[in-house]
Amino acid sequence: MRLRCAVLDDYQSVATEIADWSPVADTVEVTTFDRHFTDEDALAAALAEFEIVVTLRERVAFPASLLARLPRLRLLIASGMRNTVIDYAAAEAHGVTVCGTPSSSTPPVELTWALLLGLARGIVVEHNAVRAGGPWQSTVGTDLDGHRLGLLGLGKIGARVAQVGLAFGMRVSAWSQNLTAERADEVGVELAPSKEELLAGSDFVSVHLALGDRTRGLLGAAELALLKPTAFLVNTSRSAIVDQDALLAALHAGRIAGAGLDVFDVEPLPADHPLRSAPRLLATPHLGYVSRSNYATYYSAAVENIQAWLAGTPLRRLG
């Protein structure tokens, strides 16, 4: 009898097509789910008969309460090598091996620039007008060359975003609580003297920080009030870093020129959520890591992880 493997949040129904699952076809039956389970009861019921689960990034939490309701689960594979929503101690206690996969930082870098450029040049507004027979030119674009890009975070993704900004002729500066002058020099950007100075002096601000106790709510109403009325904010990192209600208020009041978001407090975003109709907002449904090459990497590595686990030598263990 074959083991059962569930693949979660396969919204595009590509998980079994974009990678070769044939190496485990004789021993594993794969079932994909193209919808998100909104509560633990529904998720526990759906996964009750599965020994293997493949989950995408941090879109589904696996707390101790859920793991206790999955007695058949033996292997949990998360795409990427960092996952903060899995209770590793509980997984170990329930005999669940947790593994990760390689992941590329290129897709979120590229999406960051798609959002930033879309905001700067009013791409969506102008596109919609062309398609609908609306006004011919209704916006005046914001230049990148000579303007300041402020980065909150200068890790792997932030550094690559910085390099693109420099190529556009932007003045790039960065700040984070642990950022050093040596790291800023290494990337070729300025070290902002403070978070407040970076926010007040930047024409574009992009968030590239990990979510933790020190970064949760880092940008609240007081911080957003420091932004220029002509400034744009982009967040492709984690939603909770920016206070969602404060950002909504700033957008509705026109206190900033616009925002680009790829991450939200609740995902998928409910149909009646106020962000869906917020002015000055360019939003994408958490596409940061969603690219053909990255998905091929995730699911090919998931197959490798299953093979290795079946052989008794798990790969890329997490926790």
Side-chain angles (χ1 to χ4, degrees):
M1 189 171 183
R2 290 190 298 173
L3 299 173
R4 299 191 64 191
C5 171
V7 179
L8 297 178
D9 290 340
D10 184 20
Y11 298 135
Q12 302 90 351
S13 299
V14 297
T16 56
E17 301 172 6
I18 208 164
D20 180 11
W21 291 75
S22 63
V24 297
D26 291 339
T27 51
V28 177
E29 176 187 349
V30 180
T31 301
T32 63
F33 293 91
D34 61 3
R35 64 182 180 88
H36 185 75
F37 293 97
T38 57
D39 60 68
E40 186 175 298
D41 288 343
L43 186 60
L47 299 181
E49 301 303 315
F50 290 92
E51 289 86 8
I52 304 167
V53 172
V54 179
T55 184
L56 194 60
R57 302 296 299 173
E58 296 174 325
R59 295 181 182 179
V60 177
F62 283 82
S65 57
L66 175 60
L67 291 165
R69 300 170 70 177
L70 302 176
R72 297 182 67 92
L73 182 62
R74 288 296 174 262
L75 175 63
L76 177 59
I77 301 170
S79 57
M81 290 301 295
R82 182 178 184 273
N83 194 299
T84 62
V85 297
I86 296 173
D87 187 324
Y88 295 107
E92 183 177 5
H94 289 285
V96 179
T97 300
V98 184
C99 298
T101 75
S103 180
S104 171
S105 62
T106 297
V109 171
E110 293 175 350
L111 184 71
T112 295
W113 279 102
L115 290 172
L116 195 150
L117 287 165
L119 289 167
R121 300 306 298 267
I123 297 297
V124 174
V125 171
E126 299 291 3
H127 165 81
N128 289 341
V130 169
R131 295 294 294 269
W136 190 257
Q137 296 186 11
S138 64
T139 63
V140 178
T142 300
D143 297 284
L144 303 186
D145 185 32
H147 285 68
R148 186 180 180 191
L149 171 63
L151 301 175
L152 289 168
L154 199 62
K156 184 165 56 174
I157 294 175
R160 295 190 64 181
V161 171
Q163 292 165 358
V164 177
L166 292 170
F168 273 120
M170 302 183 80
R171 175 189 169 198
V172 183
S173 57
W175 177 90
S176 72
Q177 289 156 324
N178 296 322
L179 184 59
T180 64
E182 291 75 17
R183 171 60 177 168
D185 288 343
E186 177 185 328
V187 178
V189 305
E190 302 171 7
L191 174 63
S194 66
K195 174 183 66 177
E196 291 73 19
E197 191 279 335
L198 181 136
L199 294 172
S202 296
D203 301 293
F204 300 87
V205 174
S206 191
V207 180
H208 301 287
L209 294 166
L211 180 62
D213 292 339
R214 294 195 302 174
T215 59
R216 187 178 300 274
L218 186 71
L219 299 186
E223 289 76 19
L224 293 175
L226 296 173
L227 291 169
K228 301 175 184 179
T230 55
F232 297 95
L233 173 68
V234 174
N235 186 8
T236 57
S237 183
R238 290 292 181 267
S239 176
I241 295 172
V242 180
D243 185 294
Q244 186 172 270
D245 291 336
L247 178 58
L248 269 168
L251 291 170
H252 279 286
R255 291 197 295 271
I256 60 175
L261 298 181
D262 186 50
V263 287
F264 307 92
D265 288 355
V266 178
E267 296 183 8
L269 203 60
D272 60 350
H273 196 283
L275 278 173
R276 286 189 180 266
S277 57
R280 305 175 183 85
L281 177 66
L282 178 55
T284 49
H286 206 153
L287 298 176
Y289 282 92
V290 180
S291 76
R292 180 161 292 276
S293 62
N294 227 18
Y295 268 31
T297 297
Y298 289 164
Y299 295 120
S300 295
V303 174
E304 293 174 356
N305 286 347
I306 294 171
Q307 288 180 284
W309 175 75
L310 290 171
T313 55
L315 286 174
R316 296 179 285 260
R317 297 191 68 160
L318 300 179

